[in-house]
Amino acid sequence: MADAFVLMEVSREGLATITLNNPDQHNAFNPDLVADLNDRLEDLRANGDTVRGVIIRAEGKVFSGLADFDWLPHLAHYTDDETEEDAEAIAEVLSRVRELPQPVIAVVEGPAAGYGLGLVAACDVVVATEAARFVFSEVRHGFIPALAMPYVIEAIGIKAARHYLLSALPFDAAEAHRLGLVDVVVKDDTELEGRLSNYVDHIFAAAPGALAATKALMDEVTGLPIDDELIDEIVAAHTRNREGGEAAQGIEAFLEKKDPDWRR
């Protein structure tokens, strides 16, 4: 679909690539882009058995800007119900990215701000070029970065979040890496594609069920005290995994020095 705000391709091997596709408005979130994103993410969630990994990137020089200026005049006249519906849809995008069973890699090759920056923070792995720039500029315009805040705080910590969300200071890829928002900074397209290929190879070498369960368990245990209740939960998770087919096949494949089914 040439006029789609979000494109998605899935390779034969099961790698899905989602592309934000509104470069004329810097891929900023608007109701159409958000609706397309939610549809694509729901497709991925429903096809966890055939899609093994997800890459999110953007068309054009900007990953995602603060505002779509074609949509902004309509925002000023939203009713309370429309405002709430809009926020719920954006929150659903971020939540769905976070809850996908597949590992999700964001590729940031230019500026990222607004809800798009929340999208980056919600991904499992972030690869950025040296051209990437980041800013939480909402407070300058009378907004609060509420929808992205939980993901941002988790990514960079509360102290750094206070610094950058309250000051609205821009920062570069090197600082984003230091903060933990970005996992890898690359110099050029060749290094970028090499890093992506390496990540994808490792994702496809792992059992998809084990990856999905690991993602879910990390969310369940994060921030909890290591007490008897938590230990009971992780023992139960371990037991469920050991009783499943992937673990049995993994042991057999290791002992017989052959590849398990998910690597074939």
Side-chain angles (χ1 to χ4, degrees), residues 23-78:
D24 291 343
Q25 291 295 331
H26 304 306
N27 299 308
F29 279 34
N30 65 32
D32 293 320
L33 186 144
V34 170
D36 279 1
L37 257 180
N38 268 320
D39 288 346
R40 302 291 81 75
L41 293 168
E42 177 57 24
D43 290 343
L44 291 174
R45 187 197 63 78
N47 291 283
D49 293 339
T50 56
V51 176
R52 301 280 299 275
V54 180
I55 294 174
I56 298 179
R57 57 198 319 169
E59 185 68 28
K61 296 181 179 180
V62 177
F63 180 83
S64 187
L66 179 63
D68 180 328
F69 290 99
D70 285 346
W71 167 58
L72 207 55
H74 301 287
L75 180 64
H77 302 288
Y78 266 23

Side-chain angles (χ1 to χ4, degrees), residues 238-261:
H238 175 81
T239 302
R240 288 193 300 271
N241 171 246
R242 284 293 302 273
E243 292 174 346
E246 283 185 348
Q249 188 181 153
I251 293 171
E252 179 184 356
F254 181 80
L255 292 174
E256 297 182 6
K257 297 182 180 180
K258 65 181 183 180
D259 284 337
D261 289 347

Side-chain angles (χ1 to χ4, degrees), residues 95-171:
S95 176
R96 280 181 166 169
V97 167
R98 178 57 177 272
E99 293 174 0
L100 280 176
Q102 306 93 345
V104 184
I105 304 171
V107 178
V108 186
E109 300 177 75
Y115 302 124
L117 188 43
L119 178 66
V120 171
C123 290
D124 298 309
V125 176
V126 180
V127 180
T129 67
E130 292 181 341
R133 295 292 183 271
F134 307 87
V135 62
F136 302 102
S137 58
E138 285 88 344
V139 293
R140 291 185 187 173
H141 307 283
F143 293 88
I144 63 172
L147 303 180
M149 193 176 294
Y151 308 98
V152 172
I153 290 174
E154 183 181 63
I156 69 177
I158 185 60
K159 189 67 173 68
R162 288 182 183 276
H163 177 68
Y164 283 106
L165 270 64
L166 297 178
S167 68
L169 284 167
F171 53 101

Side-chain angles (χ1 to χ4, degrees), residues 155-156 160 163-164 171-183 185:
I156 69 177
H163 177 68
Y164 283 106
F171 53 101
D172 61 14
E175 175 67 355
H177 181 256
R178 187 189 72 81
L179 294 171
L181 179 65
V182 167
D183 298 287
V185 179

